[in-house]
């Protein structure tokens, strides 16, 4: 039997997969009375019936354990004018909600003002995958507003062409 495994460098992996354009979301929850969240480009739909989504936090994330403890989360899909908000939630250890306007969603997770869409979920399962967790969420409520998405492509924020 031939060994077909190859070593893939992290840099090559990032460079090649960076050619896949993604939207950007901020995953939020309440840890007791404190809102928590982080920026995430690994958010996607998984199943129509039942309605499920997933996201993939790094094992090193200090926010993910707090979201896990909440048992529910909201995925706030960012609009084209929210790149700075994405940067705010990408910083580790800061008070990310200091200057952020939000309201509690139907299941209690923070919904960020100006988000293009919000998807509120209960955590259904999680699976370790390399240096990340794959988290499955069962959708409990969702809504969309008009506008254009914030996109991430080849290491930069992008917008749809008019």
């Amino acid at each position: 039997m031939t060994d077909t495994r190859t070593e893939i460098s992290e840099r090559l992996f990032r460079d090649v997969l960076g050619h896949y354009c993604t939207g950007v979301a901020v995953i939020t929850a309440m840890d007791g009375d404190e809102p928590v969240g982080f920026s995430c480009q690994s958010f996607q739909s998984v199943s129509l019936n039942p309605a499920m989504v997933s996201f993939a936090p790094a094992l090193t994330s200090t926010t993910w354990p707090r979201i896990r403890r909440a048992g529910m989360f909201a995925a706030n899909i960012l609009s084209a004018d929210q790149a700075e908000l994405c940067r705010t939630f990408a910083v580790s250890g800061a008070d990310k909600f200091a200057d952020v306007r939000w309201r509690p969603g139907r299941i209690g997770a923070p919904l960020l003002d100006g988000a293009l869409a919000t998807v509120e979920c209960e955590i259904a399962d999680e699976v370790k995958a390399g240096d990340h967790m794959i988290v499955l969420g069962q959708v409990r409520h969702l809504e969309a507003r008009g506008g254009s998405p914030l996109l991430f492509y080849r290491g930069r924020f992008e917008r749809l062409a008019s």
Side-chain angles (χ1 to χ4, degrees), residues 44-158:
Q44 58 275 319
S45 64
V46 173
S47 169
L48 292 173
N49 188 15
M52 296 185 84
V53 297
S54 73
F55 68 94
L59 293 177
T60 56
S61 170
T62 57
T63 305
W64 162 236
R66 300 177 76 187
I67 293 171
R68 176 195 288 133
R69 191 166 42 242
M72 59 188 66
F73 66 90
N76 296 268
I77 300 169
L78 300 186
S79 62
D81 63 348
Q82 292 183 305
E84 194 55 40
L85 185 64
C86 178
R87 287 185 192 95
T88 296
F89 280 90
V91 175
S92 184
D95 179 3
K96 300 173 188 179
F97 281 86
D99 297 316
V100 173
R101 294 177 49 118
W102 62 276
R103 63 183 168 82
R106 290 191 185 180
I107 64 171
L111 304 183
L112 304 180
D113 284 3
L116 188 63
T118 54
V119 183
E120 299 176 68
C121 303
E122 288 182 35
I123 295 173
D125 203 356
E126 60 183 274
V127 177
K128 185 177 177 199
D131 58 2
H132 281 65
M133 293 298 293
I134 298 172
V135 180
L136 296 172
Q138 183 145 9
V139 177
R140 296 298 180 210
H141 185 263
L142 67 169
E143 60 185 58
R145 295 154 200 84
S148 294
L150 179 63
L151 302 175
F152 196 71
Y153 178 70
R154 296 182 70 187
R156 297 191 325 246
F157 294 117
E158 298 287 351

